[in-house]
Amino acid sequence: MSLLDREVPGVVMTPDNIRSRTLPVAVNLAIAAGAFAVAAAVVFGLAIGNWVLVVVLGAAFYLVGLNVVAGRIEGRRAARDRAMKSLIYAACVLAILPLASVVWTLVSKGIGRLDADFFNTSMNNIGARDPEGGAYHAIIGTLEQVGIATLMSVPLGVLGAIYLVEYGRGKFATTVRFFVDVMTGIPSIVAGLFILSFWVLIVSPWFNNGQPRFSGFAAALALAVLMLPTIVRSTEEMLRLVPGPLREGAYALGVPQWKTILSVVLPTALPGIVTGIMLAVARAAGETAPVLLVAGGAAAINFDPFGGNQQSLSLFVYQQAGDASRYAPDRAWTAALTLVALVLILTVAAKLLARRNKLSR
């Protein structure tokens, strides 16, 4: 005989009695309001902090009150479950708040110079008292430098990851993987110093009558050094996630390994590979030290990445943020907003293209 079939004196086993009680929404809201009211009274009454401390204490009081009230209405187990859910929601909000704060700050402060003049002019012949001037030259430099770095690092990174996953065995593959891991953590200024000592001081004089020369291509080389380990590691992890039966099925049909990689493995892992590539692109687009060391920066527009100094958006933000002009901070914020928007547009476009692979049709 089950528990539901047993007769309890004075209790009729109906669906209303079987169903457990739940905490009403109004009571939940009342607990939250009371908790934050008490927190505000404590913080502002004792003058020990601001609204941030009110939020923290209010959340703590809310969890305590929720656990007590829910324990009386729903029982201990349901109360603990509700408290854990509240902690998870609070952690999610805390994780989103910094991102929302950054986005709000960028938009609110960067919208001041978000006009056609900012995107169509450079800083050439712009003085400290001139409100004009834009980041057209920096946008061109960023697109060229990051584009060239992507063209160099993506094929090398993807091919290196394919070797490590599909062909790499023994000490050589272990050594390659070790150096990739080491390169992942190198500071960006080290990559800039490497390109400065190798390309700018040794190689570039061969093409410039014996004189070292800064260039956007040198900055692209430094950015490629930073992008390469990220692409290799992310692509390697994505290729390892491809199920083995997909490869085995292709091999059973007599498909060569190289064709299996091209037609089965890469299309399956393509969305993850694109995500890793865009992470590397975002990092490269935001680097300042390598561009400052090997490209030098410029106030005028330079479309030639192989000749002369060239600007980038990250370097433009750095220079404008330290400029004494009262118009410089607005340019810096707008350039930062432009850089974030540019990376966002490239990421969304790459994601949309990655969906169009053979296995998803």
Side-chain angles (χ1 to χ4, degrees), residues 153-168 176-177 180 228-240 247 261 265-266 273:
S153 59
V154 169
L156 291 176
V158 173
L159 290 176
I162 291 174
Y163 167 76
L164 292 176
V165 175
E166 304 292 339
Y167 300 98
V176 172
R177 192 174 290 109
V180 169
L228 187 58
T230 303
I231 295 174
V232 172
R233 290 299 294 161
S234 60
T235 304
E236 181 184 1
E237 295 302 324
M238 291 302 104
L239 293 178
R240 292 188 185 279
R247 297 182 177 89
I261 295 171
V265 177
L266 286 179
I273 294 174

Side-chain angles (χ1 to χ4, degrees), residues 74 120 146 153 178 291 296 312 343 353:
E74 299 177 331
N120 292 322
V146 175
S153 59
F178 170 76
V291 181
S312 72
V343 173
L353 291 177

Side-chain angles (χ1 to χ4, degrees), residues 30-179:
I31 295 172
F36 284 101
V38 171
V42 171
V43 172
F44 295 123
L46 299 178
I48 57 176
N50 54 15
W51 64 270
V52 177
L53 186 58
V54 172
V55 173
V56 174
L57 286 180
F61 292 159
Y62 168 73
L63 290 175
V64 174
L66 180 66
N67 193 27
V68 173
V69 176
R72 292 182 175 275
I73 296 177
E74 299 177 331
R76 287 185 178 181
R77 181 177 298 178
R80 286 196 297 267
D81 179 71
R82 189 178 287 274
M84 290 301 106
K85 286 182 179 178
S86 300
L87 283 175
I88 293 173
Y89 293 150
C92 181
V93 172
L94 288 177
I96 294 176
L97 279 178
L99 177 62
S101 176
V102 170
V103 172
W104 172 254
T105 303
L106 281 176
V107 173
S108 60
K109 294 188 176 183
I111 202 171
R113 280 299 316 274
L114 203 64
D115 50 33
D117 181 71
F118 183 81
F119 294 101
N120 292 322
T121 59
S122 67
M123 293 297 295
N124 197 26
N125 297 324
I126 299 296
R129 298 184 178 182
D130 296 328
E132 296 85 7
Y136 178 61
H137 59 308
I139 296 174
I140 295 298
T142 297
L143 292 176
E144 291 184 353
Q145 293 163 19
V146 175
I148 295 173
T150 303
L151 290 177
M152 291 187 291
S153 59
V154 169
L156 291 176
V158 173
L159 290 176
I162 291 174
Y163 167 76
L164 292 176
V165 175
E166 304 292 339
Y167 300 98
R169 300 293 184 273
K171 294 183 178 180
F172 181 73
T174 303
T175 303
V176 172
R177 192 174 290 109
F178 170 76
F179 280 106

